[in-house]
Amino acid sequence: MFGFNETVAQARQRNIHDALMEDVGMHDWTAQLVPSKTVQAQLMVRQAAVLCGVDWFEETLKTLDPLAAITWHYQEGDMMKTDSVVCDISANSRALLSAERPCINFLQTLSWTASITRQHVDAIAGVSPNPQGCAVLDTRKTIPGLRQAQKYAVRIGGGQNQRLALWHGILIKENHIAAAGSITAALQNAVALNAGVDIQIEVENLTELEEALAADAKSILIDNFTTEQMKQAVALTNGRALLEASGGINLDQMREIATTGVDRISLGKLTKDVCAVDFSMRIK
């Protein structure tokens, strides 16, 4: 429909263009109040968090000042300490002041997503009886325009991605099943497309799970199951399909769910319940 599927790098360039367009536009009048010269600055973080978004930060600043230099004291994916220096910056004063908010906006948002993902990954470390372990996944409940960026942040936090977008995989949900007439019909239609992408189907009870397995489903989303039902689903499936738990799951439930033996847990909150990691930039 749109000619191509966007890569992370292409999405990053679009993100940066949009961020500078909406904030700077044709002119930053306030930046004109200072002399145009090279200045030194530091970026601080006020809370412990996973660093994510270095490329978004750097490329935003260098769009306005190609000669800007940034020395990072943490690498992407590192856990930053409270009240520590994240990076030292040398840049044109006007460019730095214009880029400051867009740069930090990217960093505070992506670092939050990486941090909350890391928290959920750590919560289930080593508790799954599944030989393959249990993975933490995101969903498509993302900030408009930042899909690739947030999905990237989930990976930096140690999670995995559910399908990136509609073009990336087939996920048959309750409305698709209703429109197709049955779970079996929906799966047959999906296979017939020969799209070369993964096919997953959502079920809401054990009866629907049995139908999906009988129709040779290889990836099944078990939605809003109790932990006891999850255990039954794992036993019933017996390795014939990948099982993914979803549906309003919170951090307190993660460990118990992982012990049922499901393969994956997906959470919309990793990307939709967005807070900001507290960063502060100061010119020396």
Side-chain angles (χ1 to χ4, degrees):
M1 182 180 292
F2 294 101
F4 68 99
N5 297 324
E6 198 173 46
T7 66
V8 175
Q10 290 169 330
R12 184 168 58 247
Q13 290 305 308
R14 173 178 52 77
N15 295 156
I16 292 167
H17 172 273
D18 291 348
L20 292 175
M21 175 62 75
E22 70 180 4
D23 203 33
V24 180
M26 293 180 64
H27 210 61
D28 176 1
W29 291 109
T30 315
Q32 302 304 305
L33 303 179
V34 303
S36 179
K37 63 178 183 179
T38 299
V39 295
Q40 312 301 315
Q42 282 188 330
L43 181 72
M44 303 280 295
V45 64
R46 302 303 183 187
Q47 65 189 95
V50 176
L51 176 62
C52 184
V54 166
D55 287 344
W56 277 260
F57 187 99
E58 283 204 3
E59 291 179 29
T60 299
L61 176 56
K62 290 183 178 181
T63 297
L64 299 187
D65 179 8
L67 299 180
I70 304 173
T71 301
W72 293 93
H73 299 292
Y74 293 100
Q75 295 183 348
E76 190 88 325
D78 284 351
M79 178 61 73
M80 300 174 289
K81 296 180 180 179
T82 302
D83 292 328
S84 61
V85 177
V86 180
C87 64
D88 290 298
I89 304 166
S90 177
N92 176 270
S93 55
R94 293 179 178 178
L96 181 60
L97 291 168
S98 294
E100 177 184 0
R101 177 44 52 197
C103 282
I104 294 177
N105 281 350
F106 285 128
L107 214 60
Q108 70 185 21
T109 302
L110 300 185
S111 293
W112 171 263
T113 297
S115 298
I116 196 69
T117 301
R118 180 75 57 81
Q119 189 177 15
H120 283 75
V121 170
D122 289 347
I124 63 172
V127 303
S128 174
N130 190 318
Q132 305 303 316
C134 183
V136 175
L137 280 76
D138 49 28
T139 71
R140 285 169 47 242
K141 296 175 182 177
T142 53
I143 299 172
L146 289 180
R147 170 71 57 77
Q148 288 274 17
Q150 287 189 287
K151 292 275 192 176
Y152 164 83
V154 167
R155 298 194 297 273
I156 291 298
Q160 297 179 17
N161 296 144
Q162 243 283 4
R163 57 178 180 165
L164 294 174
L166 295 175
W167 54 261
H168 190 242
I170 295 172
L171 175 49
I172 306 166
K173 306 193 80 172
E174 57 184 2
N175 286 331
H176 301 101
I177 294 168
S182 69
I183 287 172
T184 301
L187 280 168
Q188 289 174 343
N189 292 344
V191 172
L193 288 175
N194 196 28
V197 298
D198 290 340
I199 300 171
Q200 186 177 45
I201 190 159
E202 179 185 83
V203 301
E204 296 181 332
N205 52 59
L206 292 171
T207 301
E208 291 185 353
L209 174 61
E210 288 179 329
E211 182 181 353
L213 290 169
D216 202 30
K218 299 303 182 187
S219 181
I220 303 172
L221 191 78
I222 51 176
D223 189 45
N224 287 308
F225 277 41
T226 66
T227 50
E228 182 57 37
Q229 289 172 327
M230 290 180 196
K231 291 177 184 177
Q232 294 176 44
V234 170
L236 179 64
T237 302
N238 194 27
R240 289 179 289 168
L242 181 149
L243 290 181
E244 178 179 325
S246 72
I249 295 167
N250 59 50
L251 183 61
D252 292 338
Q253 298 171 298
M254 291 292 291
R255 192 176 183 88
E256 184 179 6
I257 291 173
T259 61
T260 67
V262 295
D263 299 279
R264 314 195 306 193
I265 304 171
S266 56
L267 307 102
K269 69 179 300 177
L270 301 182
T271 52
K272 73 179 181 69
D273 296 348
V274 177
C275 294
V277 172
D278 189 2
F279 289 94
S280 175
M281 185 186 294
R282 291 290 183 269
I283 292 177
K284 296 181 181 179

